Amino acid sequence: MSTPTPTLDFTNIQGDILEGLAKKFETFVFFAITDATHFRQRLKAIIPLITSTTQALANSKAIADHKANGNCDLLKLVGTNIAFSQTGLTALGIEDNVGDTLFSKGQLADASDGVNGLGDPGVVNGSTVDPAWEPAFKEKGLPHGCILITGESKATISERLQEIETKLAGTVKTITQVDGNVRPGTEAGHEHFGFQDCLSQPPVIGFREPNTGEQPTEPGDILIGEQGDEPDNGVTRPTWTKDGSFLVFRKLRQFVPEFNEFLAKNPILDNGLTPAQGSELLGARLMGRWKSGAPIDRDPTADNLTDAKDVNKVNDFDYSDDLTAQVRCPFTAHLRKTNPRASVHPGLTNVQKNRRIIRQGIPYGPEVDSEEAQTHTSKHDRGLLFVCYQSNISNGFSFIQKSWSNNPNFPATGSGFDAIIGLNIDNPRVTTGMDPQNVTTSLALPQQLFVAPRGGEYFLSPSISALKTIFLA
Ligand code: HEM
């Protein structure tokens, strides 16, 4: 008997989780609750501003229609979501165990947890080692929550922010505000190293049909309380958590001129490639896609814009034609580490089930300027405001980061790091598989990370019905 397709209530699920809020700009306001009683009362006025999935879908359609009608200007659209940390729930007097150990522990503790933790580089602080984060993210017990505001312009975001500040006045204090911006012109949709991002998202059953090559994902992998949800330690989650999702935020600084210099110094000079082509190939093999987004498992020797632009091709691969050879894609490519698809370990296809996350990040910071490019040295702060959603942080983000990207012995002994995001305090920073003609050759990665974590927190993005009940006075 086949399992019926679950019906999801899109009016109840915050819009950033499944669909994503439409954005050219995004502001994250990390706040402390200074007066819980009045915050609970004032929240009532914020709830009508929260963008549901129904609204987010309508916004995406409005943008598509606007473009299809030949318009080049941007529709004025604002989006707002809200999420709370464990200390935020506690500050509001919500004592329930929501069934996620890492959420309860908080990201600062996770990043400070030595070999069991995220692996963020540390700074010595008396007798302990703290992650080398920005001070705003290291305030103990804070932030209590985060308000996400998106828009087609900074002005639209400011307007909404002012409205929220007025409504919440006297009940919250801003700990820090972080602003993201989609990159300009033809780089829109590309992260700062230049690669098209967010091409592979899990097709959640009941939300959208899979494109060719995509594996359907149970809604409970992303949404709490839905089919497939697995709380930590078999905890029965409180009913109000249903249709919420755990939001992982990470401020990840990217060292772009340094990354480009590394590519320039280590070209793969197989089959008569020029140095420039060899550097481009190394970049593609480190990432697992060409800058256009074409997957190297399909297109191992040259970029392919047709594959990149076709939703039925861009994820139509699973490494099954390259299980051990790494001729098409290295084991350690960022793409293959973070989603090994049908890769090497027996049973991995099943393991993959609860490893899927929905990524909704946005770049931040300016483009590389000519001085930075010439000196191969970053002067300005830029990177990715990484956001991902899952129903269980240990199964999703944390497992991908710790057990796959940080683990030099995944998927095979001695494979090496995910050169893009791999973090590990103790192991030498080495990767393999980059030269398709000699995949056992190791490539030493510079001591300075290409991507350095600068802060973050674990949040719960509650359903709209939860906001209207448990969170109100
Ligand atoms: C600055 C840091 C990062 C950069 C520059 C980056 C870049 C990219 C790019 C260009 C892609 C390919 C586009 C796509 O397939 O959607 C990708 C895919 C992906 N990334 Fe990242 N990423 C970063 C951080 C992370 C982190 C922290 C995680 C999780 C721990 C992560 C998990 C993934 C996953 C799951 C995929 C999709 C893999 C697939 O389904 O084939 N990324 N990333």
Side-chain angles (χ1 to χ4, degrees):
M1 215 173 71
S2 66
T3 324
T5 304
T7 310
L8 301 176
D9 180 357
F10 298 140
T11 61
N12 194 32
I13 302 165
Q14 293 202 55
D16 202 36
I17 300 169
L18 297 173
E19 173 64 6
L21 302 176
K23 62 197 176 210
K24 285 287 178 193
F25 298 89
E26 180 163 15
T27 288
F28 298 80
V29 182
F30 298 94
F31 64 85
I33 299 166
T34 51
D35 177 345
T37 309
H38 289 106
F39 176 82
R40 279 172 168 278
Q41 288 167 6
R42 304 281 185 81
L43 191 62
K44 196 168 186 177
I46 302 297
I47 295 169
L49 306 180
I50 302 295
T51 312
S52 65
T53 301
T54 307
Q55 186 61 52
L57 284 163
N59 290 353
S60 300
K61 182 169 182 318
I63 293 170
D65 291 349
H66 190 68
K67 278 190 195 153
N69 290 334
N71 297 299
C72 297
D73 61 329
L74 297 175
L75 276 183
K76 181 174 172 172
L77 283 172
V78 66
T80 305
N81 274 193
I82 190 165
F84 296 87
S85 65
Q86 175 65 72
T87 59
L89 295 188
T90 308
L92 291 172
I94 302 172
E95 303 286 350
D96 296 325
N97 179 355
V98 297
D100 193 289
T101 338
L102 286 176
F103 169 74
S104 298
K105 182 175 173 177
Q107 197 180 117
L108 180 60
D110 196 15
S112 313
D113 201 5
V115 288
N116 298 317
L118 288 168
D120 293 17
V123 284
V124 177
N125 179 11
S127 58
T128 57
V129 178
D130 290 347
W133 285 6
E134 291 170 11
F137 289 104
K138 288 167 71 165
E139 286 198 44
K140 211 166 163 41
L142 293 174
H144 289 145
C146 176
I147 296 172
L148 295 70
I149 309 177
T150 58
E152 88 300 341
S153 70
K154 288 184 185 175
T156 299
I157 292 180
S158 297
E159 234 173 71
R160 173 54 60 92
L161 182 54
Q162 267 178 17
E163 190 181 352
I164 292 173
E165 280 171 350
T166 308
K167 290 186 196 297
L168 292 180
T171 70
V172 291
K173 187 179 92 184
T174 298
I175 304 295
T176 186
Q177 177 182 325
V178 183
D179 299 322
N181 54 280
V182 167
R183 295 185 56 209
T186 53
E187 289 301 319
H190 296 234
E191 50 70 43
H192 273 291
F193 294 140
F195 295 83
Q196 179 76 42
D197 204 356
C198 290
L199 292 169
S200 173
Q201 299 282 31
V204 171
I205 299 167
F207 177 65
R208 76 165 171 91
E209 290 299 314
N211 296 314
T212 311
E214 293 182 330
Q215 295 297 321
T217 299
E218 286 193 296
D221 285 345
I222 306 298
L223 296 167
I224 300 170
E226 294 290 350
Q227 186 182 299
D229 176 26
E230 290 173 4
D232 281 337
N233 309 320
V235 164
T236 305
R237 307 213 205 239
T239 47
W240 64 263
T241 56
K242 183 168 189 282
D243 284 349
S245 186
F246 292 103
L247 183 173
V248 172
F249 175 86
R250 297 268 278 168
K251 184 174 184 195
L252 298 173
R253 182 168 180 188
Q254 288 176 256
F255 289 85
V256 180
E258 291 82 351
F259 179 75
N260 288 338
E261 187 187 30
F262 180 75
L263 298 187
K265 282 189 171 162
N266 296 281
I268 300 168
L269 295 173
D270 293 349
N271 304 328
L273 293 179
T274 64
Q277 289 167 332
S279 296
E280 192 190 357
L281 179 61
L282 175 63
R285 287 182 71 84
L286 288 171
M287 195 59 89
R289 292 190 188 273
W290 298 91
K291 286 190 171 172
S292 68
I296 59 165
D297 192 42
R298 285 179 64 92
D299 304 298
T301 54
D303 200 351
N304 181 336
L305 293 187
T306 313
D307 278 8
K309 301 280 170 257
D310 187 338
V311 292
N312 288 310
K313 293 194 169 133
V314 83
N315 283 301
D316 189 13
F317 64 94
D318 64 5
Y319 311 113
S320 54
D321 47 0
D322 194 34
L323 282 183
T324 53
Q326 307 185 69
V327 170
R328 305 179 79 84
C329 182
F331 290 154
T332 61
H334 175 62
L335 210 71
R336 193 165 177 172
K337 276 272 199 186
T338 56
N339 181 4
R341 303 187 184 218
S343 224
V344 287
H345 284 317
L348 200 59
T349 319
N350 299 332
V351 173
Q352 191 190 314
K353 183 201 106 48
N354 55 13
R355 304 293 175 227
R356 299 307 312 272
I357 54 177
I358 294 190
R359 291 168 298 127
Q360 304 288 17
I362 186 168
Y364 74 92
E367 295 296 293
V368 171
D369 68 25
S370 53
E371 189 196 341
E372 290 179 294
Q374 273 162 23
T375 58
H376 312 297
T377 308
S378 295
K379 297 249 164 2
H380 305 289
D381 185 13
R382 67 174 62 79
L384 182 68
L385 304 176
F386 176 84
V387 170
C388 76
Y389 293 96
Q390 59 262 279
S391 63
N392 181 312
I393 299 173
S394 301
N395 285 345
F397 163 75
S398 164
F399 191 93
I400 295 172
Q401 180 74 56
K402 295 175 190 171
S403 302
W404 286 348
S405 289
N406 290 3
N407 181 357
N409 296 317
F410 176 80
T413 307
S415 312
F417 285 99
D418 171 341
I420 307 298
I421 62 161
L423 299 165
N424 196 308
I425 302 160
D426 298 326
N427 289 304
R429 294 185 51 75
V430 168
T431 198
T432 63
M434 290 304 140
D435 182 348
Q437 295 187 358
N438 192 352
V439 291
T440 54
T441 308
S442 56
L443 176 64
L445 302 167
Q447 264 321 105
Q448 187 193 343
L449 301 170
F450 298 133
V451 172
R454 304 292 292 136
E457 183 52 290
Y458 298 141
F459 297 99
L460 170 60
S461 178
S463 69
I464 295 170
S465 58
L467 287 173
K468 286 180 180 162
T469 51
I470 188 99
F471 285 85
L472 288 193

